[in-house]
Amino acid sequence: MLSKVFREFLFKNRAQAQNKLSACEGLFPGGNVVKPEFGCLGITDECMLRCKMCYKWQPDIFISEKDVNSYPSVDQYRKFLNELRELVDKEFVLNFGGGEALLFEHIYEVIKIGSEYGFRTNLNSNGFLIDEQVARRLADAGLENIKLSLDSVDSKIHDHMRGVKGVHERVLKAIDNLHKFAPKIRVALISVIYEQTYRDFIPLIEWINNNEKIEHVLVMVAMQPNNTPEEKNWWNGKYEFLWPKDKKAVGRLIDELIEMKNKRYKINNSAAQLKAVKKYLEYPEKFVKKTTCNMDKAVHVSSIGQLFLCFNYGILGDIRNGDDLRKIWVSDKAQQVREKIKRCKKNCHFLINCFFEEDKIPSNLQNL
């Protein structure tokens, strides 16, 4: 079935409604193709920080020199978002990420387009640039949610991990500025469990829970740093310094987080996601899900406009070339990627941290 919001949009102009309705219903014949359920615009790869867990601040290893800074135009984003709107349900969340998304020249314009099209909008940020002016501009653009990175109550630990002195203080000021100058924007935090952060993670959660300016925290877990060549068993290699070494201690931490979640602390993760995190930290080489990966329902757009379901399985199109998402989504090539995703057993950032989906196992198979 089509989303209610798209039906309402179509029938505002009945002269064109029947043609559009027939065309769009043809996208999901018999319900055989899933609808997008997760969308992210990786709108820039630039960043002013020097994080030890992310190398987006270095030249992107996946982008050729001729494509560097070859960003889509605002009109190209508008066309893409119009096509996405036709495919998704009313409550679809449009995520803006990076790099640092606020470094993108036209970020406010693209957020505004997303808001006008009825998307719920979320922007991920390190908080470094959010002064009064930025907070007001985000509010004027219609941004609904923002997630700021904060990994420790200890400024020395957070600044060390982010590679720039004073970042911790800037995050706290960003929270205050958003609360004061953009009160309608819901402010949340993303906090990540690393070897360097897990020991004071509970004080961080307590601080968040007692801060009326913060809606919730999304707990994430260490992954191989962005913008690095894939390494099998990375937690035992070059980046093992990020991986919590004491399995028992970090296991107790997750158990405590689940208990806090059950006590209605402002933890946005489901208990199932936290259990998957615990399993991943104990046995990172084992797939955390009993069923298949759910990235077959994701739409990703890179900073240079390339379209993916999952970054591991090739480019499906390019919004700079005017490629139509509606056609791409139901294409044979996309379906082939979905089949590959179903067979994938990799514990990746999107699967565990960003777009976790609890296993749906028929009751007669749950004990097998």
Side-chain angles (χ1 to χ4, degrees), residues 2-181:
L2 292 173
S3 65
K4 181 180 177 183
V5 68
F6 185 51
R7 288 183 179 275
E8 291 173 350
F9 169 76
L10 289 177
F11 285 101
K12 286 181 181 178
N13 188 342
R14 290 183 177 274
Q16 301 177 28
Q18 191 57 51
N19 288 338
K20 290 186 177 181
L21 185 59
S22 298
C24 193
E25 285 183 332
L27 293 173
F28 304 103
N32 293 327
V33 178
V34 295
K35 291 183 180 182
E37 292 186 9
F38 175 82
C40 184
L41 303 184
I43 207 153
T44 182
D45 292 310
E46 297 179 14
C47 188
M48 74 290 289
L49 301 187
R50 297 294 181 264
C51 296
K52 291 175 172 54
M53 78 297 286
C54 176
Y55 293 85
K56 281 287 190 179
W57 48 274
Q58 294 183 348
D60 197 297
I61 63 174
F62 302 106
I63 296 178
S64 64
E65 286 188 19
K66 68 180 180 64
D67 278 328
V68 172
N69 298 325
S70 179
Y71 298 130
S73 68
V74 172
D75 285 341
Q76 287 166 340
Y77 275 119
R78 187 189 307 275
K79 177 180 179 294
F80 164 78
L81 292 176
N82 182 54
E83 293 160 1
L84 179 63
R85 179 73 276 172
E86 295 186 14
L87 295 177
V88 300
D89 290 329
K90 183 178 180 179
E91 295 299 308
F92 189 85
V93 178
L94 181 64
N95 293 283
F96 297 90
E100 172 51 49
L102 289 172
L103 287 174
F104 180 58
E105 182 181 4
H106 302 294
I107 184 63
Y108 305 103
E109 295 166 82
V110 181
I111 291 173
K112 188 174 181 64
I113 293 168
S115 299
E116 290 174 346
Y117 281 173
F119 290 105
R120 297 175 60 196
T121 50
N122 173 72
L123 182 137
N124 297 328
S125 172
N126 58 41
F128 196 80
L129 297 176
I130 303 178
D131 55 13
E132 176 182 346
Q133 181 184 19
V134 170
R136 290 186 185 278
R137 292 188 72 182
L138 289 171
D140 291 342
L143 184 69
E144 185 176 342
N145 304 283
I146 190 166
K147 289 186 175 71
L148 305 176
S149 297
L150 186 65
D151 296 325
S152 178
V153 290
D154 187 329
S155 61
K156 291 181 181 179
I157 293 175
H158 185 78
D159 289 357
H160 170 75
M161 294 300 291
R162 298 290 160 175
V164 174
K165 189 175 181 179
V167 179
H168 186 276
E169 183 181 358
R170 297 285 280 263
V171 176
L172 300 187
K173 287 183 177 178
I175 294 169
D176 290 339
N177 287 330
L178 288 162
H179 182 74
K180 184 175 181 180
F181 304 113

Side-chain angles (χ1 to χ4, degrees), residues 265-288:
Y265 273 66
K266 295 189 292 188
I267 298 173
N268 197 43
N269 311 67
S270 65
Q273 184 177 15
L274 293 172
K275 290 176 183 177
V277 167
K278 182 179 180 181
K279 181 179 178 182
Y280 167 66
L281 286 167
E282 188 170 6
Y283 303 108
E285 71 283 356
K286 293 184 179 180
F287 193 53
V288 297

Side-chain angles (χ1 to χ4, degrees), residues 194-243:
Y194 299 112
E195 167 66 19
Q196 296 81 359
T197 65
Y198 81 86
R199 294 171 184 82
D200 69 341
F201 213 80
I202 294 304
L204 174 63
I205 301 300
E206 292 283 5
W207 178 81
I208 293 168
N209 201 60
N210 293 323
N211 193 321
E212 63 178 9
K213 300 172 186 176
I214 300 170
E215 179 150 314
H216 64 253
V217 59
L218 179 62
V219 176
M220 293 190 178
V221 66
M223 292 285 167
Q224 180 178 331
N226 289 323
N227 196 31
T228 58
E230 183 176 357
E231 289 191 14
K232 189 175 181 180
N233 299 334
W234 69 268
W235 51 88
N236 286 327
K238 181 178 179 181
Y239 308 107
E240 66 179 354
F241 66 92
L242 297 170
W243 191 254

